[in-house]
Amino acid sequence: MKGKQVITDAELLDTKTNELVAIIKTGAIDADHAKIIQQKINKALKKYDNLPFNLQNDLELLLSAHQLQKATIKDRFDFETIKKYLLSIIGAVMITLGMAMIIIPAPPYFEMFTIYHFNANDGVTLMDLIALVIVFTGVYLFFSALSKRASV
């Protein structure tokens, strides 16, 4: 009967330990609260100083491996948001400049040479193709910035 009680206590301890690790991994506690929990566990395990492994160091490693500061997560989110808006603005500016290069007439020496003639006075120039590359790059930047999800 007593052996069955020990197995139940060990299973309960294992379950509670897994719950604690899951809470720590989610980052739901801050650093001060984590230190208090660590002190409580260390105090409870003090009678087991002769264990072949050092649970205190293992717990310390676990706590240090996970970011517990909510401010750090918030700063990262703000950086990602700023980056997304900045890429969107750069993409919109590139689209506008590329379209302006196509629409606004340029002097003949700036147009370089004509690749395809529609008639004697008009055609597709090398400058138009360069402007299209700028427009497509702007479209890519704009839509890739909008489609990115925040990875926090």
Side-chain angles (χ1 to χ4, degrees), residues 111-118 123-130:
E111 288 282 341
M112 297 178 203
F113 62 90
T114 305
I115 295 174
Y116 180 77
H117 290 278
F118 294 128
V124 177
T125 64
L126 182 62
M127 200 62 191
D128 293 334
L129 295 179
I130 293 171

Side-chain angles (χ1 to χ4, degrees), residues 116-147:
Y116 180 77
H117 290 278
F118 294 128
N119 56 33
N121 297 326
D122 198 15
V124 177
T125 64
L126 182 62
M127 200 62 191
D128 293 334
L129 295 179
I130 293 171
L132 280 176
V133 169
I134 293 172
V135 168
F136 288 140
T137 304
V139 169
Y140 172 76
L141 285 176
F142 186 76
F143 285 116
S144 68
L146 292 180
S147 67

Side-chain angles (χ1 to χ4, degrees), residues 76-81 84 145-152:
R76 176 148 173 83
F77 176 73
D78 289 343
F79 176 74
E80 290 294 326
T81 305
K84 186 188 300 185
L146 292 180
S147 67
K148 283 185 182 176
R149 294 184 183 164
S151 58
V152 179

Side-chain angles (χ1 to χ4, degrees), residues 2-32:
K2 190 167 186 153
K4 189 174 184 179
Q5 181 67 25
V6 171
I7 292 172
T8 305
D9 289 343
E11 288 175 350
L12 180 64
L13 181 64
D14 191 39
T15 303
K16 295 298 179 183
T17 304
N18 290 338
E19 288 175 9
L20 177 64
V21 169
I23 291 171
I24 290 171
K25 283 183 178 180
T26 62
I29 61 174
D30 59 352
D32 295 331

Side-chain angles (χ1 to χ4, degrees), residues 80-98:
E80 290 294 326
T81 305
I82 291 169
K83 182 179 169 185
K84 186 188 300 185
Y85 285 121
L86 189 63
L87 276 177
S88 299
I89 291 170
I90 290 171
V93 168
M94 287 182 74
I95 293 169
T96 305
L97 289 178

Side-chain angles (χ1 to χ4, degrees), residues 48-99:
Y48 297 109
D49 282 341
N50 58 356
L51 288 175
F53 60 91
N54 191 351
L55 186 59
Q56 177 180 355
N57 287 340
D58 292 343
L59 184 62
E60 187 175 322
L61 245 151
L62 176 67
L63 291 173
S64 67
H66 299 286
Q67 290 288 338
L68 299 175
Q69 298 289 342
K70 291 190 184 269
T72 306
I73 295 170
K74 187 176 184 288
D75 289 342
R76 176 148 173 83
F77 176 73
D78 289 343
F79 176 74
E80 290 294 326
T81 305
I82 291 169
K83 182 179 169 185
K84 186 188 300 185
Y85 285 121
L86 189 63
L87 276 177
S88 299
I89 291 170
I90 290 171
V93 168
M94 287 182 74
I95 293 169
T96 305
L97 289 178
M99 292 302 288

